[in-house]
Amino acid sequence: MPEAPTDEPVVQQPASPAAGPAVASAVVGRASVPAVWPPADLLASAVEALHNPGLVVISGAPGTGRTGVLKRLGESFRGPVFSGGALAMLRGVPALALSRAVRVRLPSHEAPLLAEAVRSRVRHGLLLLDDLQWADPLTMAALPAIAEHCRIVVTLRTPHRLPGDAERALREAAAKSGAWLSMPPMPADAAAALVRQLAPSASAAVVTDLVRRAGGVPLAVVALAKHVAQGGTPRDDGLDKGLAYTVAGALADLTRPARTAMAALGLLGRPVTATVLGEGLTELVETGLVELADGVAAPVSPYTAEVAAGLLDAAERAALHRRLATLVPPREAARHLAAAGAAAEAYQVAVTAAAAAESSGDRAELLLLACDLPGVDAEPQVRIAAARAALAAGRPGSCLRVLDANGADPVAAVLRGEALLQQGSPVPAAAAVASVGDDVPAEVLGGRDRIRLLSMLTTDPGGALARAEELLGVHGDAPAHPGLRAAIAAVRAGTRQPGWEYGLASAASAAGQAGDALAARWSAWLLVETLTADARLAEASQAAAAAAAACAGDLAYSWQTRFLAAQLWCDALRGDQIDEVVRRAGDLADRTLPALARGYAVAAASLAEADGGLLAPARARLEALQNRPASAGPVLDWVTREAAWLDGRPDQAFDPSDGAVSTPLVDGLRRITARWAAYDAGTAVTAGDDLVPLAPVQATLEAWKAPDRFAEAAAAWHALARREEVRCLLAQGLLEDEAQQAVPPLLEAERLAEEAGLVVLLGRARRALRRHSIRRDTRGRRAGDELTDRERDVLRLVANGEPTRRIAGQLGISRETVETHIRSGMRKLGARTRTEAAALAIEELGQ
């Protein structure tokens, strides 16, 4: 789709610096505007505000040059520019303006997800949004969050139709970081020069009159000057009516086909192919009101097109809407018929178009429109289809709205229960299907039993397993209903029934093939969580990566970030490629994330930083996390205690007494850390290590009682977690008095820690070796190679936990330059990883 039509002059730089201000000009359709417009001080203020992420609002009346400023800023920006804008006719389409800018489909049901999706694409570029007054509420809600991390410039017509709270939010965001700039009126001398350029034969009196009528609005100057140039005479009446009267006067001089074509553009609110506008298009192009490129016509001024549409009387407007309905795609045709008052026809078109829609979002929009048409009683099957489509599109609220809350239809009851379940209300969900009997069709019965079983899983986990086994007798060992199959697999996984892994994986696959995305993603998440809980970290990481990739392809950003965070948590626990974990987890944690994803991302980044020697940043990251999600609470608690132990503070790493419920792996790691804390503090080993479900954890805890078993414990961790294998070898060496028995495991611990970049554990291994008079030939910094100031700056920011992209933004350099400084610093400091280099740099700088 072409870019949004502009309602302002398009201004470019003068062709030659030698040209004077009265001569140098820029193209405005077929007109020219003196190069003094837009004003240089306004452009400078906007450029100054864009030095850092923030929101710049360019407000002004129609035709004052807002779009010209936007284009000038885009042309002068050194980096990627994402240009889009809202459309009048499609102002109800969620995220339309942002989707047009980034050229992809975006999440359209939740502002934080939309903000993150846009932010992940714009990054350090410049986002330009024209005609914000036509933006949908979701776009308006997401803009402040996007502006916290991205540079944004928007234009806003005044007056506009935004509610007061939306404008207030914009002003607050602009005041916080950015600017609110109002377009000043065009200077009289510049306007007069433009009139003389467009109408050379106009007398001085006419020029003065036109400048006065235009009121400093460049578009009005263009319209009136062209009218005079074509032989018209300026009229002195109605000057106080402003630009609307001026535009209406200009449109009145068009032929009827041209006025109708211009009105059609106003009703459509978007560019269209030339054939839609008919014979009047030629005149519109000749007069400069419409631009034609590659067979697509767009008004130079959308406001002019709106005025043209407003000039139609009710009968003319309805007739034009009906005509347009025959020329546009069915999705728009339904809305045009509704605007024409033909609700019954709009209903039929919407229902028919929904049946052919390729995406669940389009299907939901059309069916919801059909259900909301005034004076039309949507058929029950259409309401059911609309509710089902709304659920598939992730809109449970809309699902509940179109369903009859008091209806007895079992299908509607199941859909209502599923919507409540998606909203996180399991008890009301079970109540919604309480009246659904056993004599309903198999699909409805499966949905009812799914809702009941999942509700029971949250209220009575013990009874859920027995109920799941009963349901298998009713629905078969592999229920045909994908949602029920996923629910049963979840219950079996929770109690570790034989083959639970296959059950979850196959349930996810079956749900995906059946088109039940919610059940598929939920099953995949449960598989990742359960594998992680059982210390099967490599498998969990692979499963999370595959699920994240699938979610990315479907633009399911909330699920995608959750899987990515889980993958990074598994990699951090394995102690493998900690530099990569720090980089990716830190970058992920810097985004707008769901609480659970943020918890895992912070845990992964903090553990990897602490292992790499960046102990202060790790602690700061953990302390900065507020409102820790309950499900990630035990994970974050253990990482906090592990970081304290690594930092030589064993008193802060003892076993907590809060009795928090955690997974077998995290509970085992908590106990292992407590043993190390007790050893370092010289206190007695805490009892209570019986009935540990994980073999590697049990072997490690038993080895603390019988040190000769640490080799066995290290072997148990070998394929699971490198950092725990190193800790077992380190403990074996520390607890042996004879050098002959102590040195070999310490050397192996040293080798593994150095390969993995486990800086703190590497230091402990080398200190233990020195006790046996073994001094390792470690890599040292190169003599005469001092860190440059920029290398120190970069490494200091790495040590503070900043990802590469933010370092580049803060220092005003490219990402590639940041990586070059890091590699150079690693070479000079003799460090194997960037994390180790940052730790050494902090030590050198005394911070």
Side-chain angles (χ1 to χ4, degrees):
M1 181 182 292
E3 280 295 309
T6 64
D7 65 344
E8 333 289 354
V10 179
V11 183
Q12 301 172 344
Q13 294 286 356
S16 171
V23 179
S25 62
V27 177
V28 184
R30 296 193 174 192
S32 299
V33 174
V36 298
W37 198 258
D41 56 345
L42 184 140
L43 288 173
S45 298
V47 170
E48 176 66 23
L50 291 173
H51 283 172
N52 297 304
L55 175 66
V56 175
V57 179
I58 309 295
S59 66
T64 53
R66 292 170 285 118
T67 300
V69 173
L70 207 65
K71 293 189 176 183
R72 281 283 289 274
L73 292 173
E75 292 167 358
S76 63
F77 185 77
R78 295 185 179 180
V81 177
F82 301 83
S83 299
L87 298 174
M89 184 61 191
L90 301 180
R91 68 186 65 184
V93 179
L96 175 67
L98 294 168
S99 296
R100 297 179 70 213
V102 300
R103 300 294 190 269
V104 296
R105 292 183 60 186
L106 295 170
S108 58
H109 61 280
E110 189 174 346
L113 292 181
L114 173 61
E116 178 53 34
V118 175
R119 177 179 169 271
S120 66
R121 285 164 173 82
V122 176
R123 295 180 178 271
H124 298 293
L126 177 63
L127 176 61
L128 304 177
L129 295 180
D130 206 2
D131 293 326
L132 198 64
Q133 68 275 4
W134 292 323
D136 60 283
L138 184 64
T139 296
M140 299 300 300
L143 275 178
I146 302 173
E148 292 181 4
H149 305 281
C150 301
R151 295 172 175 84
I152 310 175
V153 185
V154 302
T155 66
L156 179 64
R157 189 191 67 193
T158 54
H160 54 71
R161 303 174 188 176
L162 298 181
D165 55 346
E167 180 180 354
R168 185 164 50 253
L170 279 179
R171 287 189 177 275
E172 290 174 354
K176 180 180 179 182
S177 178
W180 187 290
L181 305 174
S182 298
M183 292 295 300
M186 191 175 192
D189 55 349
L194 179 57
V195 172
R196 294 188 186 96
Q197 200 169 9
L198 296 174
S201 60
S203 65
V206 169
V207 170
T208 301
D209 183 51
L210 289 183
V211 170
R212 180 175 59 84
R213 287 189 67 189
V217 179
L219 182 60
V221 174
V222 172
L224 291 173
K226 285 189 174 182
H227 176 68
V228 169
Q230 295 170 1
T233 57
R235 292 172 295 185
D236 294 331
D237 56 329
L239 295 180
D240 294 336
K241 294 182 180 180
L243 180 58
Y245 183 87
T246 301
V247 174
L251 294 174
D253 292 326
L254 299 172
T255 63
R256 185 178 184 84
R259 291 199 305 272
T260 302
M262 198 68 183
L265 284 170
L267 294 180
L268 287 166
R270 64 173 178 84
V272 293
T273 57
T275 55
V276 172
L277 299 181
E279 59 180 299
L281 176 61
T282 301
E283 183 179 351
L284 292 177
V285 173
E286 290 176 350
T287 56
L289 293 175
V290 169
E291 294 177 335
L292 185 62
D294 299 326
V296 176
V300 172
S301 166
Y303 180 78
T304 302
E306 282 187 1
V307 171
L311 295 175
L312 300 171
D313 59 34
E316 289 175 326
R317 179 183 291 268
L320 186 53
H321 271 300
R322 280 183 170 275
R323 177 192 163 201
L324 291 174
T326 66
L327 301 173
V328 297
R331 175 179 169 182
E332 291 183 66
R335 294 193 176 278
H336 281 292
L337 289 170
E345 293 179 55
Y347 176 82
Q348 294 298 329
V349 171
V351 172
T352 303
E358 297 182 356
S359 71
S360 59
D362 286 345
R363 188 178 303 109
E365 183 180 345
L366 287 163
L367 290 173
L368 291 172
L369 169 66
C371 293
D372 293 337
L373 286 168
V376 176
D377 187 11
E379 299 165 289
Q381 62 268 29
V382 173
R383 291 191 175 275
I384 293 296
R388 186 173 287 115
L391 283 175
R395 301 169 65 178
S398 297
C399 170
L400 294 172
R401 190 185 75 245
V402 300
L403 292 174
D404 182 4
N406 300 316
D409 182 7
V411 176
V414 169
L415 290 171
R416 192 158 47 248
E418 186 66 40
L420 291 168
L421 203 60
Q422 286 193 30
Q423 289 184 334
S425 304
V427 175
V433 298
S435 62
V436 179
D438 296 334
D439 57 346
V440 295
E443 180 183 355
V444 180
L445 185 65
R448 182 205 69 176
D449 290 343
R450 163 187 163 80
I451 295 168
R452 289 180 175 177
L453 184 60
L454 291 178
S455 299
M456 182 180 293
L457 188 60
T458 61
T459 58
D460 182 17
L465 179 60
R467 179 56 182 160
E469 297 303 322
E470 294 175 6
L471 290 174
L472 290 176
V474 177
H475 297 275
D477 191 28
H481 191 283
L484 177 59
R485 181 173 178 178
I488 292 175
V491 174
R492 286 180 163 178
T495 53
R496 301 302 192 275
Q497 298 297 302
W500 66 265
E501 305 97 321
Y502 174 77
L504 278 177
S506 60
S509 176
Q513 293 177 5
D516 192 338
L518 179 63
R521 289 164 188 156
W522 183 70
S523 299
W525 174 251
L526 194 58
L527 176 63
V528 171
E529 274 199 322
T530 312
L531 288 172
T532 304
D534 288 355
R536 297 164 63 174
L537 301 174
E539 296 173 74
S541 178
Q542 293 173 1
C551 293
D554 200 30
L555 301 182
Y557 295 104
S558 179
W559 280 105
Q560 180 192 6
T561 54
R562 182 188 295 190
F563 282 115
L564 287 174
Q567 178 193 7
L568 292 166
W569 169 239
C570 292
D571 293 343
L573 284 176
R574 293 171 64 198
D576 191 20
Q577 296 182 333
I578 66 169
D579 264 354
E580 184 69 7
V581 172
V582 169
R583 182 186 66 79
R584 293 180 58 202
D587 187 52
L588 187 64
D590 193 44
R591 303 183 188 180
T592 302
L593 297 177
L596 184 59
R598 180 170 299 282
Y600 277 114
V602 169
S606 300
L607 180 60
E609 285 176 332
D611 277 339
L614 299 180
L615 295 161
R619 291 196 307 272
R621 189 187 295 275
L622 289 164
E623 292 169 358
L625 181 64
Q626 300 177 351
N627 301 322
R628 295 185 176 187
S631 54
V635 168
L636 292 162
D637 177 81
W638 172 71
V639 174
T640 300
R641 296 174 185 278
E642 180 72 2
W645 172 75
L646 289 168
D647 200 19
R649 303 179 184 183
D651 56 303
Q652 300 179 16
F654 285 109
D655 204 0
S657 58
D658 55 13
V661 178
S662 61
T663 64
L665 176 60
V666 173
D667 179 66
L669 293 172
R670 177 173 54 84
R671 299 185 188 203
I672 291 172
T673 298
R675 296 306 171 274
W676 275 104
Y679 171 80
D680 288 351
T683 62
V685 175
T686 307
D689 295 334
D690 298 332
L691 303 177
V692 178
L694 294 181
V697 173
Q698 184 66 55
T700 304
L701 296 177
E702 290 295 331
W704 277 101
K705 302 174 183 177
D708 59 338
R709 299 184 59 180
F710 269 117
E712 176 185 340
W717 286 110
H718 178 71
L720 301 178
R722 175 70 62 86
R723 69 184 313 277
E724 294 308 316
E725 180 183 6
V726 170
R727 288 214 290 183
C728 286
L729 293 169
L730 178 60
Q732 181 182 358
L734 289 173
L735 295 176
E736 288 283 355
D737 294 327
E738 297 293 331
Q740 187 174 1
Q741 285 76 35
V743 170
L746 290 174
L747 290 175
E748 181 65 7
E750 178 196 40
R751 182 185 69 82
L752 294 175
E754 188 173 20
E755 288 180 355
L758 302 171
V759 174
V760 179
L761 296 180
L762 176 62
R764 291 199 65 157
R766 286 176 173 166
R767 287 196 299 273
L769 284 169
R770 286 198 293 271
R771 291 195 314 179
H772 297 284
S773 300
I774 297 179
R775 298 189 177 274
R776 306 297 297 152
D777 182 17
T778 60
R779 297 176 67 193
R781 61 179 299 157
R782 291 177 47 173
D785 258 349
E786 297 294 333
L787 293 174
T788 66
D789 290 341
R790 183 47 60 92
E791 287 166 352
R792 289 191 180 93
D793 292 340
V794 169
L795 291 175
R796 183 184 293 108
L797 290 172
V798 171
N800 289 337
E802 300 286 2
T804 299
R805 59 183 182 79
R806 290 189 60 180
I807 295 173
Q810 291 183 46
L811 299 181
I813 58 179
S814 69
R815 297 187 186 186
E816 292 75 13
T817 302
V818 171
E819 294 296 335
T820 298
H821 288 313
I822 292 174
R823 288 193 297 270
S824 177
M826 289 170 57
R827 175 182 57 81
K828 292 179 179 180
L829 293 171
R832 290 184 177 273
T833 68
R834 58 187 282 158
T835 307
E836 182 182 2
L840 291 173
I842 290 299
E843 181 179 348
E844 177 184 278
L845 295 170
Q847 298 180 5

